């Protein structure tokens, strides 16, 4: 039984159509393209379910002007054969990390902590305790992943309703040697976000559940999203399944204790709620532009150990230019991704654990069938005022425009290499730059919502 479990859950991973429609209105063309894409995506879902890989699939695709379209295939309950329902709730596993870290970013904005703080300031006695909160959030801390500990895997799989404390979980990880020194590599670790949840609780004096509910769930109106304390899911829900032993076959593992997952994976949601969350996450709706920029300073995770992402930031991943997060928890896999250029969102639920991450595989197959690819165009920046060569005043007002299909996060001005001022927003921008006597070198750049930077504009102004 043990060898079968390990093999299934290894410790290291717990526009030709437009040519024929040229005379049709743009709206009709887009409707035809979307319908064709949905038919192909439905065939992908059919193939996955018919292969027996998963009992059921829910795919939610949100397009501006068309709303949320949902494709369901297969069953939500193997015993009753009840079909998958677009309204079903499901455990969303590691997507919880994006909630936990968003609250952490808010607390940093409030001055109640710094992302540069070592975790040892909040949870002393850790191996790699010098790792910063930022390094925990982007998975470069090197701290051991407790879900790679074999005794824990077995205990959780076969005693699924056991109640755990965060400190018990951290102790499991802390008994193991770190993977590397902080900042040296990328290794996905659920322990990191358990620890960050503990930081949120220590700083606020409230439970992580209360902080996420009050500051994230309620402001976005996520009525069917929750951080549960018990083992049951709110109806309607899809049952979750896993094969823990080949001889026994597929088991219903719907009821598990969220305490074993905590800030790394405890939450429950629906397709409709997650598409709202995915958009807010990608746009940085609940954090400042500066925080979102920090979140987008991503690591090349393709060479590390963990789920597939092209790049990974502060609990935010990038796949083919889309931003979001993937998840797996015993019995369920999920994905939420958002396209900043087209404002499309995709959510995928499957109700089974699998040797591969089925939602990611499906998403990679779906993306060419959705919208046009995200263009790799540089962020554009135009600056007026270059005519200034000398000035007698103590400041100069700089104006211009910045543009990107992914939206502008900020325009950054520096003089002689030292940051001076940030103008937020997109489109037209304006701010004053203080001048020192003599020669002033001013460098200006723009950064967009995918952390793509414009060419640096350099101005030399002499203050007489």
């Amino acid at each position: 039984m043990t060898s079968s479990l390990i093999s299934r859950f290894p410790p290291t991973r717990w526009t030709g159509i437009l040519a024929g429609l040229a005379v049709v209105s743009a709206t009709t063309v887009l409707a035809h393209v979307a319908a064709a894409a949905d038919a192909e995506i439905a065939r992908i879902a059919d193939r996955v379910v018919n292969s027996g890989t998963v009992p059921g699939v829910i795919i939610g695709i949100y397009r501006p002007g068309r709303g949320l379209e949902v494709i369901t295939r297969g069953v939500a309950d193997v015993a009753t054969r009840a079909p998958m329902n677009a309204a079903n709730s499901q455990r969303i596993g590691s997507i919880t990390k994006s909630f936990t870290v968003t609250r952490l970013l808010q607390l940093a904005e409030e001055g109640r902590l710094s992302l540069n703080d070592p975790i040892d300031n909040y949870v002393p006695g850790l191996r790699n305790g010098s790792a910063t909160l930022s390094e925990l959030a982007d998975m470069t801390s090197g701290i051991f992943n407790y879900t790679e500990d074999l005794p824990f895997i077995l205990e959780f799989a076969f005693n699924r309703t056991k109640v755990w404390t965060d400190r018990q979980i951290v102790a499991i990880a802390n008994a193991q040697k770190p993977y590397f020194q902080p900042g040296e590599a990328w290794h996905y670790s659920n322990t990191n976000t358990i620890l960050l949840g503990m930081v949120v609780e220590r700083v606020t004096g409230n439970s992580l559940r209360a902080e996420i509910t009050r500051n994230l769930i309620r402001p976005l109106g996520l009525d069917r999203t929750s951080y549960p304390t018990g083992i049951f899911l709110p109806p309607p829900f899809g049952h979750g399944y896993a094969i823990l032993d080949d001889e026994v076959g597929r088991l219903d593992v719907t009821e598990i204790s969220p305490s074993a997952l905590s800030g790394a994976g405890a939450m429950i949601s629906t397709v409709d709620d997650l598409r709202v969350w995915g958009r807010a996450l990608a746009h940085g709706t609940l954090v400042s532009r500066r925080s979102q920029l920090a979140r987008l300073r991503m690591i090349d995770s393709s060479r590390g150990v963990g789920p597939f992402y092209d790049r990974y930031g502060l609990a935010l991943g990038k796949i083919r230019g889309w931003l979001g997060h993937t998840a797996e928890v015993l019995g369920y896999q999920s994905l939420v991704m958002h396209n900043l250029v087209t404002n499309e969102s995709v959510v995928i639920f499957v109700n089974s654990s699998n040797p591969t991450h089925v939602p990611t595989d499906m998403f990679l197959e779906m993306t060419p069938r959705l919208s046009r690819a995200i263009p790799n165009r540089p962020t554009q920046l135009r600056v007026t005022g270059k005519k200034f060569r000398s000035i007698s005043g103590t400041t100069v007002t700089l104006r211009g425009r910045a543009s990107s299909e992914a939206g502008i996060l900020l325009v950054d001005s520096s003089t002689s290499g030292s940051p001076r001022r940030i103008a937020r927003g997109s489109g037209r921008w304006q701010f004053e730059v203080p001048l020192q006597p003599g020669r002033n070198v001013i460098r200006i750049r723009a950064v967009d919502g995918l952390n793509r930077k414009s060419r640096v504009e350099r101005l030399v102004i002499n203050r007489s």
Side-chain angles (χ1 to χ4, degrees):
M1 182 175 289
T2 298
S3 61
S4 174
L5 176 61
I6 297 170
S7 67
R8 291 186 174 275
F9 304 100
T12 55
R13 64 163 302 281
W14 256 69
T15 80
I17 191 171
L18 293 176
L21 298 172
V23 297
V24 187
S25 70
T27 301
T28 304
V29 169
L30 291 175
H32 278 281
V33 171
D38 288 352
E40 291 192 51
I41 291 167
R43 284 192 285 271
I44 294 171
D46 284 331
R47 189 180 70 246
V48 170
V49 171
N50 292 338
S51 71
T53 304
V54 299
V57 172
I58 307 175
I59 302 173
I61 306 169
Y62 177 84
R63 300 180 180 93
R66 291 179 61 86
L68 180 66
E69 299 175 53
V70 181
I71 298 167
T72 62
R73 293 293 187 273
V75 299
D77 186 333
V78 170
T80 67
R81 308 304 294 175
M84 286 295 259
N85 184 335
N88 280 355
S89 61
Q90 176 170 306
R91 300 192 191 278
I92 59 170
S94 287
I95 296 171
T96 302
K97 292 177 174 67
S98 61
F99 285 82
T100 299
V101 173
T102 298
R103 183 58 188 137
L104 188 82
L105 290 171
Q106 291 177 335
L107 292 171
E109 293 167 13
E110 296 166 13
R112 301 170 73 176
L113 56 84
S114 168
L115 296 179
N116 293 322
D117 290 341
I119 185 60
D120 204 41
N121 285 7
Y122 304 91
V123 185
L126 294 173
R127 294 189 176 192
N128 277 18
S130 63
T132 66
L133 304 187
S134 179
E135 288 170 330
L136 270 69
D138 69 10
M139 303 297 175
T140 60
S141 73
I143 293 173
F144 185 83
N145 181 9
Y146 77 97
T147 57
E148 294 178 18
D149 179 81
L150 181 56
F152 172 80
I153 293 172
L154 296 173
E155 180 72 10
F156 178 56
F158 297 108
N159 191 6
R160 295 185 290 274
T161 59
K162 176 180 176 178
V163 176
W164 299 79
T165 67
D166 287 348
R167 292 199 173 273
Q168 286 176 318
I169 291 171
V170 170
I172 291 169
N174 208 36
Q176 303 286 348
K177 183 180 178 181
Y179 303 113
F180 45 78
Q181 290 298 305
E184 287 187 353
W186 190 82
H187 192 117
Y188 194 88
S189 174
N190 290 297
T191 313
N192 287 337
T193 330
I194 298 289
L195 288 163
L196 293 178
M198 295 171 70
V199 171
V200 171
E201 292 186 339
R202 176 166 178 178
V203 169
T204 64
N206 300 317
S207 68
L208 181 60
R209 176 177 184 265
E211 287 295 308
I212 286 176
T213 301
R214 181 181 303 119
N215 296 283
L216 307 179
I217 292 175
R218 288 177 183 167
L220 292 176
L222 305 180
D223 296 334
R224 298 204 59 214
T225 300
S226 62
Y227 189 111
T229 56
I231 66 173
F232 301 109
L233 281 76
F237 61 86
H239 287 247
Y241 298 91
I243 299 176
L244 305 180
D245 187 312
D246 290 330
E247 295 181 2
V248 175
R250 185 171 276 155
L251 293 175
D252 188 324
V253 293
T254 305
E255 296 174 2
I256 63 173
S257 172
S259 64
L261 311 165
S262 194
M267 292 179 66
I268 295 168
S269 191
T270 63
V271 165
D272 193 26
D273 270 15
L274 272 195
R275 63 97 180 169
V276 175
W277 173 250
R279 187 183 190 283
L281 183 64
H283 285 267
T285 303
L286 296 177
V287 298
S288 69
R289 293 179 186 269
R290 186 181 289 274
S291 291
Q292 189 68 359
L293 180 62
R295 176 165 243 168
L296 288 165
R297 294 192 184 107
M298 294 182 164
I299 307 298
D300 181 358
S301 55
S302 61
R303 300 176 185 174
V305 178
F308 172 78
Y309 294 101
D310 296 316
R311 300 185 70 82
Y312 193 83
L314 304 180
L316 179 65
K318 183 185 291 185
I319 300 178
R320 303 295 186 263
W322 295 58
L323 298 175
H325 213 283
T326 66
E328 178 164 18
V329 62
L330 190 64
Y332 302 94
Q333 293 179 328
S334 50
L335 169 150
V336 56
M337 286 285 157
H338 182 79
N339 185 323
L340 284 173
V341 174
T342 63
N343 265 325
E344 292 172 303
S345 298
V346 171
V347 182
I348 304 175
F349 280 0
V350 302
N351 59 339
S352 175
S353 301
N354 302 279
T356 62
H357 196 264
V358 174
T360 297
D361 294 341
M362 294 180 69
F363 179 71
L364 291 172
E365 192 173 353
M366 286 167 54
T367 47
R369 296 164 170 83
L370 289 167
S371 61
R372 55 196 168 93
I374 294 176
N376 189 26
R377 298 174 184 169
T379 301
Q380 300 296 310
L381 175 70
R382 294 204 302 270
V383 183
T384 60
K386 290 187 178 182
K387 63 184 179 181
F388 295 121
R389 290 292 179 261
S390 64
I391 192 169
S392 59
T394 59
T395 63
V396 62
T397 300
L398 301 177
R399 300 179 180 87
R401 292 185 66 88
S403 62
S404 167
E405 290 181 289
I408 298 297
L409 270 182
L410 60 84
V411 178
D412 183 5
S413 169
S414 64
T415 59
S416 302
S418 301
R420 291 293 184 183
R421 180 78 180 267
I422 291 177
R424 301 176 179 176
S426 59
R428 296 184 182 276
W429 55 267
Q430 172 181 320
F431 50 79
E432 289 187 350
V433 175
L435 299 176
Q436 303 299 319
R439 187 173 183 267
N440 291 260
V441 179
I442 304 172
R443 298 174 178 85
I444 305 171
R445 67 170 185 170
V447 183
D448 75 1
L450 289 170
N451 200 28
R452 300 183 298 192
K453 300 174 179 64
S454 70
R455 183 181 66 184
V456 174
E457 295 285 346
R458 181 175 178 271
L459 293 82
V460 178
I461 301 176
N462 293 307
R463 176 186 166 193
S464 57

